[in-house]
Amino acid sequence: MDRSSKWFDIFIYIVLFLFSLSTVLPFIYITIVSFTDPHEFLTTPVMLFPKTWSLASYRYIMSSNQFINSFFITTMLTIVGTVCALLVTSGLAYGLSRKRLKGRNFILTAILFTMLFNPGIMPNYLLIRNIGLLNSFWALVLPGLATAFYVLLMKSFFQDVPAELEESGEIDGCSDIGIFFRIILPISLPVIAAFSLFYGVGYWNTYFNGVLYINKDTLRPLQVVLQQMLAASSAPADYAEASSAVIPAETVKMAAVVLSAVPIVMVYPFLQKYFVKGLTLGSVKG
């Protein structure tokens, strides 16, 4: 390696380190502020390391019925939505990967059409309203059941599955559904794991559908409640009776951000190794 290449590599490493630092530091600051003693934060709002640590902001938030309810709603939405989305996406992708499916080309064209043209907000709202899903849990689940891009990626994976596996299942007397659940899905666990993370993060971060289709406070997802807290100039009114101590709004907001991010941060390391498998689906094979 010549001298110029060595200096170029050093420059790239420095740039990547600074970029990584710029993404990590905000979350570190948010975490520190959330654990800062409220009285210390009132006197010194900008700090890198507090003298006194406190869980007051977290106790403040956890005493709010609205936050607890929204956390539960989002957790159920993530679990139910991810499972349903995986079943719909994988089932549709598997069917489209088989040339014997009647109307296959028409369905593929329709899916590709949705990637280029979107009906817009009002048609989507009118559709959800006319089928009676407004202010219901399923209004948050059904609109995200299948993503066209994910369907095409998974279809590409299923096309590489050897036909002999299906033939062996047919010999054993399995139907198409039996082959799908007993043979195809078990050998597709790495891909299923990758897409479960994609869908899970999407459902956990549900915001727009919660604003558009939900008017009941009991059904608002966590991100909507969090946005309301971040937009407020002070702690929410329903926190007023939670504690007699004065809790700065800023520490409450930071604690809410940490609580909303921790579940995904905890799950991510277990599924990260499947990212490459999921992202390289459909790539050109040498």
Side-chain angles (χ1 to χ4, degrees):
M1 180 182 294
D2 57 12
R3 195 178 188 87
S4 59
S5 299
K6 182 179 180 180
W7 282 109
F8 180 76
D9 290 342
I10 294 176
F11 173 75
I12 293 298
Y13 289 141
I14 293 175
V15 171
L16 291 177
F17 173 76
L18 293 177
F19 178 78
S20 301
L21 198 63
S22 67
T23 59
V24 173
L25 281 180
F27 188 76
I28 294 177
Y29 175 75
I30 289 173
T31 305
I32 291 175
V33 171
S34 69
F35 284 101
T36 301
D37 182 80
H39 300 288
E40 182 178 353
F41 181 82
L42 289 174
T43 56
T44 312
V46 179
M47 62 185 66
L48 295 178
F49 195 83
K51 297 179 180 179
T52 307
W53 300 88
S54 174
L55 295 175
S57 298
Y58 289 94
R59 288 193 294 266
Y60 213 46
I61 290 177
M62 299 301 289
S63 64
S64 167
N65 292 331
Q66 184 180 7
F67 187 90
I68 298 298
N69 181 75
S70 65
F71 195 93
F72 174 77
I73 289 295
T74 300
T75 301
M76 293 302 300
L77 172 63
T78 302
I79 297 174
V80 175
T82 301
V83 172
C84 293
L86 288 175
L87 288 175
V88 172
T89 302
S90 59
L92 178 59
Y94 174 68
L96 293 175
S97 67
R98 297 301 175 254
K99 295 182 179 180
R100 66 178 183 273
L101 176 67
K102 295 182 179 180
R104 174 174 177 270
N105 293 332
F106 174 78
I107 298 175
L108 282 174
T109 302
I111 292 176
L112 289 172
F113 185 83
T114 62
M115 296 180 65
L116 301 175
F117 302 97
N118 190 289
I121 296 176
M122 287 307 300
N124 284 329
Y125 177 82
L126 293 175
L127 173 63
I128 297 297
R129 187 193 66 178
N130 291 338
I131 61 179
L133 291 180
L134 285 182
N135 291 317
S136 69
F137 178 79
W138 294 104
L140 301 174
V141 175
L142 296 182
L145 276 184
T147 301
F149 183 61
Y150 294 169
V151 171
L152 296 179
L153 286 178
M154 196 170 289
K155 166 184 168 294
S156 175
F157 172 81
F158 288 142
Q159 283 178 335
D160 295 333
V161 175
E164 289 77 7
L165 292 177
E166 296 185 22
E167 295 174 357
S168 63
E170 293 174 355
I171 294 175
D172 292 337
C174 286
S175 62
D176 289 336
I177 296 179
I179 292 174
F180 175 67
F181 281 102
R182 295 183 180 182
I183 298 178
I184 302 300
L185 285 185
I187 65 175
S188 306
L189 289 182
V191 178
I192 298 298
F195 282 101
S196 66
L197 184 57
F198 297 154
Y199 276 117
V201 172
Y203 276 112
W204 183 265
N205 292 326
T206 296
Y207 171 76
F208 187 74
N209 288 344
V211 173
L212 191 61
Y213 306 132
I214 303 299
N215 292 323
K216 294 182 179 179
D217 291 338
T218 55
L219 288 176
R220 294 189 187 277
L222 180 62
Q223 303 303 326
V224 176
V225 174
L226 179 60
Q227 188 277 334
Q228 293 174 347
M229 295 176 62
L230 295 177
S233 58
S234 60
D238 59 346
Y239 294 164
E241 299 178 358
S243 174
S244 59
V246 177
I247 307 295
E250 196 68 21
T251 61
V252 173
K253 296 174 185 178
M254 298 306 180
V257 172
V258 172
L259 287 175
S260 65
V262 163
I264 294 298
V265 173
M266 293 177 61
V267 172
Y268 181 82
F270 297 99
L271 299 178
Q272 183 185 15
K273 60 182 179 181
Y274 299 117
F275 264 21
V276 175
K277 182 68 175 178
L279 293 176
T280 56
L281 290 177
S283 60
V284 178
K285 298 177 176 61

